[in-house]
Structure formats: C-alpha cells, structure tokens
C-alpha cells in the first residue's frame, strides 16, 4: 500500500491462525490541539533498522522499516488501571512516513504514521492500527505517563536543543528523519517497560480513533490551598538535608552519574570524529574534482584519472552516508541516554526531598513529645533560668492565669498536635517507602532497556562501518581495470 493510503486510517483486523482476514478501514483523526511551532518538521525518507524484541529476550536487527515487538505476558504492571490479567500479547510499533501539514499557514507541523500491530499469541488474533500523530501528541503521552507513574523515570523524547531550532531547518528531511527514529525509540522503551506499556494512555495513543476527545480532556485544577501547601513543602525541602542516606540510592546516584559522565565523553569524542569525517568529505570531493580536471589535460591518461576522480567523489558520498547513519542511530541514542541520566538524577533529588520531609516531621514529633513530657513532669525547659521562671510567674499572676490550668491546656494542645504529627509521620514514611520501592523496580527495568538499546546502538555503529568499508572496497576495485589499461613504456 502506498504512503498516501495510510492517512488517518485505522484497521481493526482479526486473524485466525495463519490466515489473515480482510479488515475494514475506518477513518481516524490526527492529533489536534494548540499548534506549537517548536514541534514541527517536514517530509523525510523512511527506512532504517528493524528489531524484533520480546521482554527479557534478545534483540535481532533486520533490514526494512524500524519496528519493535514486545511480549506483554512477563509481569503484572504496577498501578494498572484495571484488575484484569494482562493478555499474552505481542505489540509491534513503527513510526514512519513523516508528512508536513498546514502548508502555507502560520503554524505548519509534521505528522508521523504510527502503525501498531497487536497479536494475541494464544488465539492468533491480530489487531492493527495506523494513525497519524504529531510531536506534541508524543509529548502528551510523555506528560500523562509522568503523572501516572510519579516514581518512574519516563523514557525521554528526542531533544529539541539542536541547531536546527536556531537555523530554522527543522523542516529538513534530515532533521525529520532523525526525529522519526527518536520517536520510535521512545515508544519502544515505553513498550519494553512492563508497567508503562499497560497504561491506558499508551493504549489511547496507539489505538484511539477519536484522538481529540482524549487529547483535549481538561485536567482538574488544583485548589489554591494545594498550591500554598506545595510551596510550603518546596521551601521546607529546599532548606532541609537528608541526615541518614540510604546506601541503595547513594550507589544508584553514583552509577547514574558515572554513566552520564561516560556518555557525555563518548558523545564529545565521537562528535570530533564526525567533524573530521566532514573535513575528509570535502577533501575527497575536492581531490576528485582535481583529478578529473587533470584528466582533461593529460589526454593519454584521461580514463584512468577520471575513474580515480569519480572514485574519490563516490568515496566522499559513502563517507557522508556513514556520518549520517552514525549520527542518527548511534549519537541520537547516546544523546537520549544523557537525558535519561539527567532525569534519574532529578528523580533521586525528589526522593531525597521526601526523605528530608520524613526526617523533619519525625524530629518535630520528637520535640513535641519531649515538650509534653516536660510539662507533665513539671520540669523546666532546657536552658531556662530561675530568673526567667520568676518573671513568667509574675506575668501570669498579673494576667490572673492559673499556672496549673495553663499547663494542662498546653499539655492537651501538645497531645492533639502529637496525634496529627504521628499520622503525618506514618503517611510520610509509607509514601517514602512506596516511592523508594518503585524507584528500585523502575531502575531494574531501566537496566534491561539499556542493555537492549546499547546492543542495538553499537550493532548499528558496527554495521554502518562494515557497510562503508565494503562500499569503499567496491569503489576502488572498479578503478583498477581502467588504471591497468593505461599504456606504460
């Protein structure tokens, strides 16, 4: 089927056994909402490397459109919206065929064809969906997952901090092609995560025919008191420090920081390699032109010189293809994992805030209980002198306050506060423990996803170089016959 036939189409095709039934096309709508000029791109060529991966299995590269297959029967998702068991389903998703929309308007943007195939392994039933989504639709999914799984680090979207946003070249074929691969990597990581892939938001994104009804749903606004409470918590946590660090998260922070440092150095060094490759491209092209011009002068060696010049130009093209492929499939992956590490470090700060809050509440509870016990036992406050007590007594006498009644009232108020603080401490402890457990679970899944991604990234790097050198050998072998024809005395 040609690309134009996929526009806004949804298949809901059932297949029994190995025989596929004909599905009926149903019109769907591309994502709507406020246009954001920063999220736009333009048509680009499709293609790339495909992968078929089941959760916990091996990644296998194949030629053709980028794809990813995920087994969904390995575990029950945390925070699953419903209690029904997860079916034994294999999901395959591709992001392809970018197309510029809104040409001639103030807010042009790009849509990408997201094709999803879900296969029930038990019944062999297949459901397919092909829907157009734009970048801000992917951003919507990322935002919803961040809200639903507050203790998880959601896989990053391809970054916007690129030169194309400054030069206005975000509609270029090259930029859109890279973004397409980045968006597909985002979905692949989401589908590899046993909790994220079970989210209703993922299903909506991949399958919703009436996308706007979900996309434009308004989120409930927080009450003003909640904003003030949040501000108070933020201020408190800003000036609080964790007193007793959990070694598990100390090790996690150190591991993530080392990973980020190594990835940053790898990115920096490989950018130097690509810069030199670009310089070589220009040199090869210029040298090729020079040999062709020389062939016009040396008429007796024209064919050989022209052949060598054309070989240099072809070598220049092959080197450019190598640079483009490695930047897309290798450097793009590295850049996204640097963002991944930054997100993990921020999540660890969030956990520290929760621990600091728990420790502050615990300390406040202890101080309040100690004050109650002091009053109950008729003890003076620490550091209070006899003169101070005498003055306080005289003030109470002047006001006509009975010391015994005043002390009892203070004890009762402290007792009420202690009950509130005990509840707050228990709630804070439970929240911290749950947040910590979920972070550890998510970090384990991150390690699994990282293994798949790094295997694919370095395999792509190796394959790109093998293809380049094979092409270079073929190019220069073609020159030899022409050179051997040159007359030599």
């Amino acid at each position: 089927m040609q690309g134009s036939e996929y526009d806004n189409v949804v298949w809901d095709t059932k297949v029994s056994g190995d025989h596929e039934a004909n599905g009926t096309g149903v019109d769907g709508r591309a994502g709507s909402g406020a246009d954001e000029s920063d999220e736009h791109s333009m048509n680009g060529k499709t293609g790339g490397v495909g992968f078929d991966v089941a959760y916990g299995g091996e990644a296998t590269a194949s030629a053709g459109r980028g794809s990813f297959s995920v087994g969904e029967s390995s575990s029950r998702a945390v925070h699953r919206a419903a209690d029904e068991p997860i079916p034994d389903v294999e999901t395959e998703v591709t992001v392809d065929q970018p197309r510029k929309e809104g040409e001639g308007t103030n807010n042009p943007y790009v849509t990408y064809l997201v094709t999803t195939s879900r296969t029930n392994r038990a019944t062999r039933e297949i459901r397919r969906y092909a829907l157009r989504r734009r970048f801000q639709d992917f951003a919507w999914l990322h935002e919803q997952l961040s809200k639903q799984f507050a203790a998880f680090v959601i896989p990053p979207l391809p970054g916007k901090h690129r030169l194309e946003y400054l030069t206005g070249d975000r509609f270029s074929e090259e930029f859109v092609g890279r973004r397409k691969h980045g968006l597909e990597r985002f979905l692949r990581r989401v589908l590899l995560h046993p909790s994220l892939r079970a989210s209703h938001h993922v299903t909506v994104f991949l399958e919703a025919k009436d996308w706007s009804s979900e996309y434009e749903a308004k989120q409930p606004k927080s009450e003003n008191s909640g904003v003030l409470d949040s501000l108070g918590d933020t201020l408190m946590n800003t000036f609080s420090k964790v007193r007793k660090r959990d070694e598990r998260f100390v090790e996690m922070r150190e591991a993530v920081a080392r990973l980020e440092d190594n990835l940053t150095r790898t990115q920096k060094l490989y950018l130097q390699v690509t810069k030199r490759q670009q310089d070589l491209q220009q040199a090869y092209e210029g040298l090729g032109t020079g040999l062709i011009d020389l062939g016009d002068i040396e008429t007796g060696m024209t064919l050989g010189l022209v052949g060598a010049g054309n070989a240099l130009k072809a070598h220049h093209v092959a080197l450019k293809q190598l640079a483009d492929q490695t930047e897309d499939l290798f450097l793009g992956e590295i850049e996204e994992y640097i963002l991944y590490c930054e997100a993990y470090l921020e999540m660890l700060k969030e956990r520290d805030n929760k621990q600091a809050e728990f420790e502050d509440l615990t300390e406040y509870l202890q101080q309040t209980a100690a004050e109650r016990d002091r009053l109950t036992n008729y003890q003076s406050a620490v550091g209070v002198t006899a003169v101070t007590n005498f003055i306080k007594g005289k003030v109470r006498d002047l006001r006509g306050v009975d010391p015994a009644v005043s002390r009892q009232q203070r004890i009762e108020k402290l007792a009420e506060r202690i009950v509130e603080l005990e509840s707050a401490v228990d709630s804070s402890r439970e929240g911290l423990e749950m947040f910590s457990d979920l972070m550890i679970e998510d970090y384990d899944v991150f390690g699994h996803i990282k293994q798949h991604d790094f295997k694919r990234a370095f395999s792509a790097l190796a394959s790109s170089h093998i293809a380049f050198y094979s092409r270079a050998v073929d190019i220069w072998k073609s020159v030899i016959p022409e050179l051997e024809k040159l007359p030599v005395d």
Side-chain angles (χ1 to χ4, degrees):
M1 182 178 289
Q2 299 298 320
S4 60
E5 296 182 66
Y6 282 98
D7 298 348
N8 302 331
V9 66
V10 179
W11 298 308
D12 191 0
T13 306
K14 296 183 179 180
V15 179
S16 299
D18 296 325
H19 303 286
E20 184 172 330
N22 292 327
T24 302
V26 181
D27 287 338
R29 295 204 296 172
S32 60
D35 289 328
E36 295 180 10
S37 58
D38 283 346
E39 320 304 338
H40 317 321
S41 311
M42 161 171 188
N43 285 342
K45 292 182 179 179
T46 61
V49 181
F51 300 90
D52 186 6
V53 178
Y55 184 77
E58 295 294 329
T60 305
S62 61
R65 290 193 312 177
S67 64
F68 204 73
S69 177
V70 181
E72 297 196 85
S73 61
S74 58
S75 68
R76 177 177 291 276
V78 179
H79 304 322
R80 186 164 170 79
D83 290 333
E84 74 274 8
I86 300 175
D88 189 7
V89 173
E90 181 179 350
T91 301
E92 186 174 327
V93 176
T94 64
V95 179
D96 214 342
Q97 299 182 23
R99 185 183 69 193
K100 189 175 183 181
E101 310 280 2
E103 190 75 60
T105 66
N106 293 330
N107 293 304
Y109 59 93
V110 162
T111 61
Y112 301 84
L113 185 70
V114 179
T115 306
T116 306
S117 176
R118 295 190 185 274
T119 304
N120 188 308
R121 293 193 181 97
T123 64
R124 302 307 301 166
E125 179 185 65
I126 300 176
R127 293 182 179 273
R128 292 195 180 99
Y129 307 85
L131 294 157
R132 288 206 162 268
R133 301 288 188 243
R134 57 187 296 184
F135 183 88
Q136 71 177 38
D137 300 336
F138 287 85
W140 173 89
L141 176 60
H142 188 280
E143 180 183 5
Q144 300 308 311
L145 292 175
S146 298
K147 293 177 180 178
Q148 183 179 1
F149 302 96
F152 289 171
V153 174
I154 308 304
L157 290 166
K160 291 168 53 178
H161 305 292
R162 299 182 63 92
L163 183 61
E164 290 85 347
Y165 280 95
L166 301 178
T167 62
D169 201 23
R170 62 180 180 272
F171 295 128
S172 69
E173 181 177 303
E174 180 182 6
F175 174 74
V176 171
R178 290 172 184 167
R179 168 166 280 187
K180 176 192 69 175
H181 287 297
L183 294 174
E184 185 168 284
R185 287 193 291 264
F186 163 71
L187 288 180
R188 180 175 61 248
R189 291 166 187 147
V190 168
L191 292 174
L192 269 176
H193 198 298
S195 297
L196 301 185
R197 69 170 175 248
S199 170
H200 168 69
H201 301 302
V202 174
T203 302
V204 167
F205 179 86
L206 296 176
E207 301 178 8
K209 301 174 183 178
D210 186 7
W211 170 247
S212 62
S213 65
E214 289 284 348
Y215 180 81
E216 296 176 352
K218 303 299 183 182
Q219 298 296 325
K221 296 182 179 180
S222 301
E223 297 294 334
N224 292 335
S225 60
V227 174
L228 294 175
D229 291 342
S230 177
L231 179 60
D233 292 342
T234 301
L235 290 174
M236 184 180 71
N237 291 330
T238 299
F239 298 103
S240 298
K241 291 185 179 180
V242 174
R243 296 167 179 77
K244 184 179 180 181
R245 295 193 175 276
D246 189 321
E247 287 301 320
R248 298 174 299 172
F249 297 99
V250 171
E251 294 175 1
M252 186 185 297
R253 178 180 282 102
E254 291 174 350
V256 172
R258 286 196 304 270
L259 176 61
E260 181 183 24
D261 181 62
N262 287 331
L263 290 173
T264 301
R265 285 190 288 112
T266 299
Q267 181 190 45
K268 182 178 179 180
L269 291 171
Y270 206 85
L271 284 173
Q272 294 177 5
V273 171
T274 56
K275 177 62 172 63
R276 294 180 182 180
Q277 287 177 338
Q278 292 171 356
D279 294 339
L280 282 173
Q281 292 170 30
Q282 298 176 0
Y284 278 125
E285 185 177 28
L287 183 57
T289 300
L291 289 184
I292 292 174
D293 292 342
L294 183 60
D296 293 337
I297 300 173
E298 299 293 334
T299 55
M301 303 176 62
T302 299
L303 292 179
L305 291 172
V306 170
N310 288 332
L312 285 167
K313 285 179 171 290
H315 193 88
H316 145 75
V317 173
L319 191 57
K320 184 178 186 307
Q321 291 174 345
L322 172 64
D324 291 343
Q325 289 173 357
T326 53
E327 183 174 359
D328 184 9
L329 301 177
F330 179 70
L331 281 178
E333 197 96 53
I334 297 298
E335 177 182 309
E336 289 157 12
Y337 264 88
I338 292 174
L339 296 176
Y340 228 144
C341 291
E342 292 174 353
Y344 258 104
L345 292 176
E346 286 299 317
M347 188 65 73
L348 286 166
K349 289 181 182 178
E350 177 66 20
R351 190 209 160 271
D352 283 350
N353 287 341
K354 292 182 179 297
Q355 183 174 340
E357 176 185 302
F358 166 69
E359 291 175 345
D360 287 343
L361 285 171
T362 301
E363 182 180 10
Y364 188 26
L365 172 61
Q366 293 171 347
Q367 292 172 351
T368 305
E371 176 67 8
R372 179 202 58 188
D373 294 341
R374 183 188 68 78
L375 292 174
T376 302
N377 297 325
Y378 296 89
Q379 297 174 343
S380 297
V382 177
V384 177
T385 65
V387 174
T388 302
N389 283 330
F390 175 77
I391 294 173
K392 287 183 177 180
K394 289 298 182 180
V395 171
R396 286 194 295 267
D397 291 341
L398 291 173
R399 293 178 177 177
V401 177
D402 186 341
V405 174
S406 176
R407 184 176 63 254
Q408 185 59 35
Q409 289 175 345
R410 292 170 63 191
I411 290 174
E412 291 174 357
K413 289 182 179 179
L414 288 172
E416 293 176 358
R417 186 179 301 171
I418 287 172
V419 172
E420 295 176 353
L421 285 172
E422 286 176 340
S423 176
V425 167
D426 289 341
S427 177
S428 180
R429 180 192 297 109
E430 292 174 1
L432 174 62
E433 291 175 351
M434 179 178 292
F435 195 91
S436 299
D437 291 343
L438 290 173
M439 271 205 72
I440 291 173
E441 175 190 330
D442 182 60
Y443 188 69
D444 289 341
V445 176
F446 168 72
H448 167 75
I449 297 174
K450 182 178 63 177
Q451 287 180 337
H452 279 289
D453 286 348
F454 278 20
K455 178 178 180 178
R456 183 190 61 259
F458 285 96
S459 296
L461 181 66
S463 298
S464 297
H465 279 80
I466 291 172
F468 164 72
Y469 287 111
S470 297
R471 175 61 179 154
V473 168
D474 293 338
I475 289 171
W476 289 104
K477 277 185 176 181
S478 66
V479 179
I480 299 299
E482 293 297 332
L483 294 175
E484 290 178 342
K485 293 178 183 178
L486 294 176
V488 178
D489 294 334

